[in-house]
Amino acid sequence: FGGESDLSAKLLRMVHLRAFEEDPLRLMRGVQFATRFYLKIEPQTFEAMQKAAPLIRTVSPERISEELRKLLSAEKPSIGFIWMRDIDLLKEVFPELAENVGVLQGNKFQNDDVFMHTMRVLDASRKDPAIPFSGDLDLILSALFHDVGKARTKGFDKEKNRMTFYGHQLVSKRMAR
């Protein structure tokens, strides 16, 4: 199937057109492989993944969580979550995170939406030497869900002329549970 040349080119390619329909867990496996090994997803494979994304609902949570554990062990797990966003898999696996895509914070230095801000925090929690216990799974999961409630608490303070997310920490806590 040309796998050796694809690996040399750092390219992830499906071996047949029905790969994701036959086993939808391959969607998550492809994302975590692309993330852990810094692979690009070949365009036809990417399109097939987008088309098959809703099928992930047919996979048991236990199988998905094992692929997520591997994804979260990557040096930059944000890459996988960005792939999931772009493939439309994020809204199937983590709809709460997907709610924050495009939610602007307005006053952050990087001018990220809440999702990209979360991705920066996620990567820092995974491998930043300045953060105690970086790499600890509980810390990584806390980073992933720390602002998940922002989309549901978004407001605008006219007096201060800025976006607000009053109570997002409490909403985030409930959603994470």
Side-chain angles (χ1 to χ4, degrees):
F1 295 106
E4 190 173 327
S5 63
D6 282 348
L7 283 175
S8 294
K10 307 275 275 165
L11 191 65
L12 181 76
R13 182 190 314 267
M14 64 186 171
V15 294
H16 59 88
L17 293 174
R18 296 182 44 91
F20 303 111
E21 294 171 29
E22 290 177 1
D23 184 2
L25 185 64
R26 290 177 178 149
L27 295 159
M28 290 301 301
R29 194 170 294 133
V31 165
Q32 66 94 354
F33 282 150
T35 304
R36 288 177 42 222
F37 303 112
Y38 293 97
L39 305 175
K40 297 172 289 209
I41 300 177
E42 180 266 335
Q44 188 176 11
T45 301
F46 181 85
E47 289 177 26
M49 291 173 89
Q50 282 184 311
K51 183 178 176 187
L55 296 175
I56 198 68
R57 293 183 220 139
T58 66
V59 178
S60 73
E62 295 81 12
R63 292 180 73 206
I64 292 170
S65 69
E66 181 59 26
E67 296 305 317
L68 284 169
R69 187 192 58 73
K70 293 174 187 174
L71 169 62
L72 292 171
S73 75
E75 188 171 330
K76 288 188 70 172
S78 66
I79 294 169
F81 284 90
I82 292 167
W83 277 122
M84 289 171 61
R85 177 197 65 194
D86 295 348
I87 292 168
D88 290 333
L89 197 54
L90 187 66
K91 67 183 178 188
E92 302 295 342
V93 178
F94 284 112
E96 303 86 358
L97 284 175
E99 288 178 25
N100 287 302
V101 172
V103 176
L104 299 179
Q105 300 187 96
N107 56 351
K108 293 290 183 184
F109 175 73
Q110 295 92 358
N111 203 27
D112 290 336
D113 66 3
V114 175
F115 174 75
M116 287 309 296
H117 162 74
T118 299
M119 295 301 98
R120 288 177 190 274
V121 174
L122 175 64
D123 286 347
S125 74
R126 173 66 187 95
K127 198 163 170 110
D128 189 327
I131 297 176
F133 308 107
S134 66
D136 177 81
L137 185 58
D138 288 338
L139 178 66
I140 292 168
L141 291 171
S142 295
L144 188 61
F145 291 109
H146 83 282
D147 276 347
V148 77
K150 279 193 168 179
R152 296 182 185 186
T153 59
K154 181 181 176 184
F156 187 78
D157 186 324
K158 289 181 184 177
E159 287 180 25
K160 295 179 182 175
N161 193 33
R162 68 180 184 100
M163 302 301 300
T164 62
F165 301 96
Y166 298 133
H168 81 274
Q169 67 278 17
L170 299 174
V171 173
S172 297
K173 175 183 165 184
R174 285 192 295 270
M175 291 172 73
R177 280 197 179 147

